[in-house]
């Protein structure tokens, strides 16, 4: 069993930056694809970014391409999401997730992910 814990959320002004981190415990996630999803108020949860076990393959939602960067540190069992040029529409609860599949393509649908964190709130003010 894998437990995921997100951190780093908060309130930021539009145009600013936030770095989210996700720490995994229970077992190593080095063979798993890891992803970030988000859910805005009144909306369904949506894919944000995902990364392969080696970190060599990444996948991003069109809405965040060029602004967000996903990375991982397998030695520390962590995955991060650097978010730059934030917009009010990025306001959401951000969730870290782990996909035991670990292969390619790096998947973007939430039902394929096996483990989830509790989420961290990011609020972008205009």
């Amino acid at each position: 069993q894998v437990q995921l814990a997100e951190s780093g959320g908060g309130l930021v002004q539009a145009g600013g930056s936030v770095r989210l981190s996700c720490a995994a415990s229970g077992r190593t996630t080095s063979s798993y694809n890891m992803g970030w999803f988000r859910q805005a108020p009144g909306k369904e949860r949506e894919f944000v970014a995902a990364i392969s076990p080696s970190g060599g393959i990444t996948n991003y939602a069109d809405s965040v391409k060029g602004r967000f960067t996903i990375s991982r540190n397998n030695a520390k069992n962590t995955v991060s999401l650097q978010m730059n040029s934030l917009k009010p529409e990025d306001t959401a609860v951000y969730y870290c997730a782990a996909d035991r599949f670990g292969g390619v393509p790096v998947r973007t649908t939430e039902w394929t992910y096996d483990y989830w964190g509790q989420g961290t709130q990011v609020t972008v003010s205009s």
Side-chain angles (χ1 to χ4, degrees):
Q1 193 76 359
V2 174
Q3 294 80 43
L4 302 174
E6 304 94 339
S7 61
L11 176 64
V12 61
Q13 288 188 331
S17 298
V18 167
R19 185 176 182 86
L20 303 182
S21 294
C22 173
S25 60
R27 64 150 292 162
T28 179
T29 55
S30 60
S31 64
Y32 295 179
N33 288 331
M34 299 295 293
W36 286 94
F37 291 76
R38 67 185 181 186
Q39 186 168 22
K43 296 187 177 181
E44 293 186 350
R45 190 154 56 183
E46 65 176 4
F47 169 76
V48 175
I51 189 167
S52 64
S54 69
I57 298 173
T58 56
N59 198 344
Y60 294 94
D62 288 343
S63 59
V64 307
K65 279 181 182 176
R67 300 189 298 123
F68 291 12
T69 302
I70 188 171
S71 61
R72 67 190 298 163
N73 185 326
N74 287 334
K76 295 184 178 180
N77 223 18
T78 60
V79 61
S80 298
L81 185 68
Q82 178 67 41
M83 305 189 295
N84 299 329
S85 302
L86 283 161
K87 306 174 182 179
E89 50 263 44
D90 294 318
T91 294
V93 176
Y94 283 74
Y95 297 90
C96 174
D99 179 1
R100 290 180 296 177
F101 171 60
V104 291
V106 177
R107 301 190 287 196
T108 64
T109 50
E110 66 172 291
W111 65 265
T112 64
Y113 283 75
D114 303 288
Y115 304 106
W116 292 83
Q118 293 299 307
T120 185
Q121 176 72 45
V122 174
T123 303
V124 184
S125 62
S126 57

